[in-house]
Amino acid sequence: MSGAWLVVGLGNPGSEYERTRHNVGQMVLDELASRTGGSFKRHRSGARVAEVRLGVLPGGAPGPRVVLAAPTSYMNVSGGPVAGLAKYFDVDLEHLVVVHDELDVPFGAVRLKRGGGEGGHNGLRSISKSLGGKDYARVRVGIGRPPGRQDPADFVLKEFSTTEKKDLPFLLVDAADAVEELVTAGLEAAQQRFHAPA
């Protein structure tokens, strides 16, 4: 399956974490699977995987082959499963996209970048270490900063607020659109679309 993209949604396993802010990457993956009719199956690398075609290319041809992957390990040790998947599906860093929660982006916004630091995100740190490089694309799903003096480590493990839950479906659609734009039109086109002021 060389030439495919690997799109990883970060999160923690278990029902107690399912709807928390830290799991928004996996929520985006569910949105992508839903719109492509993909279904997840357990993979020996330690992830749930769905192989799909994402988006539509100019001229109406089906978009590129994409492996959607949700590691079943805890967030802080995502690197092992991601490296295993990249090797199994023969995907290089250029075709790896990691979707994750981002404290430094306001809730409701989506930002994209390639490479750079991990900003204290242990899931990204684990992936960079296991892959031996940082030059992969990130779709950063804004969850905003915790209110008052709340510890960010506690904040990310809590569910979205009642107000946020009303807007969450729109955020998930935007983030899924950003992934689709990235794999079909490239990073720059996706940045132009999602970084422009509303």
Side-chain angles (χ1 to χ4, degrees), residues 59-125:
R65 291 173 300 171
V66 173
V67 178
L68 303 175
T72 51
S73 60
Y74 281 94
M75 169 85 78
N76 295 358
V77 289
S78 303
V82 173
L85 287 163
K87 187 173 181 184
Y88 182 86
F89 289 105
D90 193 21
V91 173
D92 57 26
L93 285 186
E94 283 285 303
H95 284 92
L96 170 63
V97 181
V98 178
V99 187
H100 64 90
D101 58 306
E102 180 56 74
L103 288 161
D104 291 327
V105 173
F107 174 80
V110 176
R111 296 289 180 266
L112 301 94
K113 73 173 188 175
R114 179 178 297 284
E118 289 94 8
H121 198 293
N122 290 327
L124 293 176
R125 190 174 290 134

Side-chain angles (χ1 to χ4, degrees), residues 109-112 188-198:
V110 176
R111 296 289 180 266
L112 301 94
E188 203 171 303
Q191 286 175 325
Q192 283 174 355
R193 177 175 166 190
F194 289 93
H195 293 202

